[in-house]
Amino acid sequence: MPVSALLVALGLASSERLDGQCQTPEEMAAELISLRQIRNSRETLADFTKLYTATTNLEWKMRTFYNLKDENDTHDCGGKVDTWQLGCELPRPGNLHDIKSHAYYVGAIRKLHAFPVQVVQSLVASEWYHPGLTSRPVWCLDSCDLPLAQRLNAHFGAVSKELLHFWSLKHELKDHLRGVGAHTTSFDRLIAGNGTWQDVRLWRGRAFDRQLCDRYFRVTCSLVEASPEVWTNPWSHVLISILMPNSWVPFHQGHTNGQLTYHLPVMLPEAGAELALLERGGTLAEQETGTVSWTLGRTLVFDDSFTHAVRYRHAWSEAHSSGGAPRMLLLMRAWHPELEMKERMALREFIRRGGEEEPEGYDMLPAPGQMAP
């Protein structure tokens, strides 16, 4: 192992070079990526002591390089004192809102809930920030070179037919239509906002709703099976997302930058539905909001770890003449394309070690030996 890599692995690399000059942005970015890869490695994730050390080192370097700590803070790095030097910083990524201390959360969760350590570790890992990945709010609008987006666009006709048929039977199948948060997390209930926001869940983690897939969504579910970037992602959901007129979802963020969100619209109002995103991290104060709109049949890809909101501004009375048409789309989440294959496999195994939802009526796919990028 090169000396520089060894120093990184031991947490001894500093934001200041031996000649007293700041590291270049390229050097700092490379160091963060190296530390991230160490933390996300199978060897580290298998050893609590190594994981604690690797995570602490990465958290510290992120705080230092992104200038997220007090100037007087110091950190003992093997006998060296790594002190922040003003001006030696990287631009703060727009989806980096804060750095959650691994040690603090593991201790706090264990104390409050007495969970086994593997469960606690998995919960904490699901909120890790992965430095070095390209961070931009919107990846694709009308055209996209991401394979999954191209796959969805190519099958839009068949997917649209299935979703619209299901919607025509909504009164008979209302038990499958739940308010957001029933299928996902309790946090989602808090961001449901005003109006009606519902979803139908087809996939979670490693599980299909086989009844829905076989009866109503054979093409849609087969696309998931053909997309390991979706079904090997332990944070993934595949949902039909339905937003009714006069509804809005307030600003919020997803829990990890290790994945991207894909929206394939199959029903759109003529106007009023939009996705709003903030390009910078931190608070909402004094930030300009950028908005994008969906295009029927074209996959929109965005990073939900950026602060974002969804709006359907038309009042119900204005849309009632058209039957209160919703904004309806197929939503799925896939690995960030730059997260390396070894990291994906190690994170997937590690997060699932803490327990995995196996809901009744769902069909589990086996863990693959190989995963497509």
Side-chain angles (χ1 to χ4, degrees), residues 97 121 140 145 271 312 344 354:
H97 308 283
Q121 296 282 4
C140 305
D145 59 2
Y312 186 171
R344 296 184 192 187

Side-chain angles (χ1 to χ4, degrees), residues 279-300:
E279 294 190 358
R280 301 202 335 256
T283 67
L284 298 178
E286 301 180 357
Q287 294 203 51
E288 293 186 5
T289 302
T291 60
V292 295
S293 297
W294 295 269
T295 300
L296 194 68
R298 308 302 296 175
T299 301
L300 185 155

Side-chain angles (χ1 to χ4, degrees), residues 96-112:
L96 176 56
H97 308 283
D98 196 5
I99 298 172
K100 300 180 178 180
S101 169
H102 176 80
Y104 171 81
Y105 276 87
V106 168
I109 294 173
R110 291 196 72 187
K111 181 177 180 180
L112 289 175

Side-chain angles (χ1 to χ4, degrees), residues 149-199:
Q150 294 181 343
R151 197 175 303 135
L152 292 173
N153 291 345
H155 292 85
F156 166 70
V159 170
S160 176
K161 183 178 180 180
E162 289 184 338
L163 269 63
L164 293 176
H165 175 65
F166 181 88
W167 183 248
S168 72
L169 302 173
K170 59 183 178 295
H171 297 299
E172 302 172 36
L173 301 171
K174 60 183 179 181
D175 289 345
H176 293 284
L177 279 165
R178 305 283 184 85
V180 166
H183 289 139
T184 51
T185 67
S186 57
F187 170 75
D188 291 332
R189 295 191 186 98
L190 302 177
I191 62 168
N194 179 65
T196 303
W197 184 26
Q198 298 174 307
D199 59 38

